[in-house]
């Protein structure tokens, strides 16, 4: 049973560029959440997708956008990259039925470096 | 606004010691609390989930407790091993949200 998979594992971009990160949820899961983790900090919630719609959003600018596909996989897009966007981006999946009561499973993350 | 704090920020212990990591949160209206382990540059591994109605959960050498009224949780690690060295994060889900709110973690080093 494959867990949460993310791609790519590492990415280097320059300021102003755009980036797309991908996530496949754990088998049987239909809800995907994205988190940003800066060095030495705890992860910060970006947004959550369910039934191909953004269900909830954290305090991130509109440069951060996402998408969920019919197979429940998800993409995170970041436009006009800033140096401060350098971080580990984590994807978490869960089952929508009573999300609050279920364990969220995390992928290994994508390390984004903006130069 | 929910805030999660973890103390200490870093901890170094000799192998074999029992240790306690602390997590506190400001809003007691939580659905659950989850403890995670994170190895350097890696993703998060869930260790224990405590529902709001529970007082503790155990898995092997790990025991997590929850006191909602005081806004505190502890993670107890028995007979620590060098392989336990990692960052330990606690996170809560609460209120009307389905998002995890994390502390900044405790960096644990177990010396052989």
């Amino acid at each position: 049973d494959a867990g949460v998979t993310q791609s790519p594992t590492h990415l280097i971009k320059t300021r102003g560029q755009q980036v797309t990160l991908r996530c496949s949820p754990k088998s049987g899961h239909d809800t995907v959440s994205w988190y940003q983790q800066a060095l030495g900090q705890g992860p910060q919630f970006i947004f959550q997708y369910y039934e191909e719609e953004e269900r909830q959003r954290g305090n991130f600018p509109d440069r951060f956008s996402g998408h969920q596909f019919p197979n429940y996989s998800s993409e995170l897009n970041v436009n006009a990259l800033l140096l401060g966007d350098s971080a580990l981006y984590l994807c978490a999946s869960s089952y929508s039925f009573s999300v609050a009561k279920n364990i969220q499973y995390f992928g290994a993350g994508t390390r984004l470096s903006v130069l | 606004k929910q805030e999660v704090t973890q103390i200490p920020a870093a901890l170094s212990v000799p192998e074999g010691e029992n240790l306690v990591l602390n997590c506190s949160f400001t809003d007691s209206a939580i659905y659950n609390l989850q403890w995670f382990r994170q190895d350097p540059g890696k993703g998060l591994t869930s260790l224990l989930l405590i529902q709001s109605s529970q007082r503790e959960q155990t898995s092997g050498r790990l025991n997590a407790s929850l006191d909602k009224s005081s806004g505190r949780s502890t993670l107890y690690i028995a007979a620590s091993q060098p392989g336990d060295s990692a960052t330990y994060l606690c996170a809560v889900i609460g209120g009307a949200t389905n998002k995890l709110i994390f502390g900044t973690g405790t960096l644990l080093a177990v010396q052989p």
Side-chain angles (χ1 to χ4, degrees), chain A residues 17-33:
Chain A
Q17 285 189 312
Q18 178 264 344
V19 68
T20 297
L21 311 181
R22 297 176 176 81
C23 172
S24 292
K26 182 177 170 64
S27 178
H29 287 182
D30 57 7
T31 301
V32 173
S33 304

Side-chain angles (χ1 to χ4, degrees), chain A:
Chain A
D1 176 25
V4 180
T5 58
Q6 292 187 243
S7 63
T9 54
H10 295 88
L11 209 49
I12 300 175
K13 293 286 187 178
T14 57
R15 282 179 298 175
Q17 285 189 312
Q18 178 264 344
V19 68
T20 297
L21 311 181
R22 297 176 176 81
C23 172
S24 292
K26 182 177 170 64
S27 178
H29 287 182
D30 57 7
T31 301
V32 173
S33 304
W34 287 92
Y35 292 80
Q36 180 196 66
Q37 186 178 25
L39 201 60
Q41 301 296 315
Q44 299 290 317
F45 177 78
I46 303 175
F47 41 53
Q48 184 178 85
Y49 276 85
Y50 169 67
E51 290 189 338
E52 303 179 48
E53 291 190 359
E54 183 182 291
R55 179 157 63 174
Q56 194 173 178
R57 188 178 183 91
N59 188 27
F60 279 80
D62 292 343
R63 297 186 298 108
F64 289 77
S65 62
H67 188 77
Q68 187 178 35
F69 299 93
N71 67 353
Y72 308 122
S73 66
S74 176
E75 288 182 349
L76 164 65
N77 301 293
V78 187
N79 294 321
L81 285 166
L82 304 174
L83 296 178
D85 295 331
S86 295
L88 181 67
Y89 288 84
L90 296 164
C91 170
S93 76
S94 55
Y95 181 51
S96 62
F97 181 73
S98 193
V99 167
K101 295 187 177 181
N102 290 325
I103 292 175
Q104 295 195 31
Y105 292 85
F106 281 78
T110 294
R111 172 72 64 187
L112 172 64
S113 298
V114 182
L115 305 178

Side-chain angles (χ1 to χ4, degrees), chain A residues 29 48 55 93-105, chain B residues 30-34 46 48-54 57 92-95 97-100:
Chain A
H29 287 182
Q48 184 178 85
R55 179 157 63 174
S93 76
S94 55
Y95 181 51
S96 62
F97 181 73
S98 193
V99 167
K101 295 187 177 181
N102 290 325
I103 292 175
Q104 295 195 31
Y105 292 85
Chain B
I30 64 170
Y31 287 125
N32 67 42
L33 184 145
Q34 205 165 342
S46 180
L48 290 164
L49 171 74
I50 310 177
Q51 303 287 0
S52 61
S53 59
Q54 298 175 322
Q57 280 288 328
V92 299
I93 287 182
T97 75
N98 290 323
K99 64 180 181 181
L100 285 164

Side-chain angles (χ1 to χ4, degrees), chain B residues 29-101:
Chain B
I30 64 170
Y31 287 125
N32 67 42
L33 184 145
Q34 205 165 342
W35 282 93
F36 294 89
R37 169 188 172 134
Q38 185 174 33
D39 293 294
K42 303 296 185 182
L44 307 181
T45 301
S46 180
L47 298 173
L48 290 164
L49 171 74
I50 310 177
Q51 303 287 0
S52 61
S53 59
Q54 298 175 322
R55 297 283 293 184
E56 65 179 317
Q57 280 288 328
T58 298
S59 176
R61 294 183 295 108
L62 305 180
N63 176 276
S65 67
L66 174 63
D67 184 343
K68 267 185 57 176
S69 60
S70 67
R72 293 180 182 178
S73 175
T74 61
L75 178 66
Y76 174 83
I77 302 177
S80 58
Q81 303 170 357
D84 294 331
S85 299
T87 295
Y88 291 80
L89 293 153
C90 72
V92 299
I93 287 182
T97 75
N98 290 323
K99 64 180 181 181
L100 285 164
I101 299 173

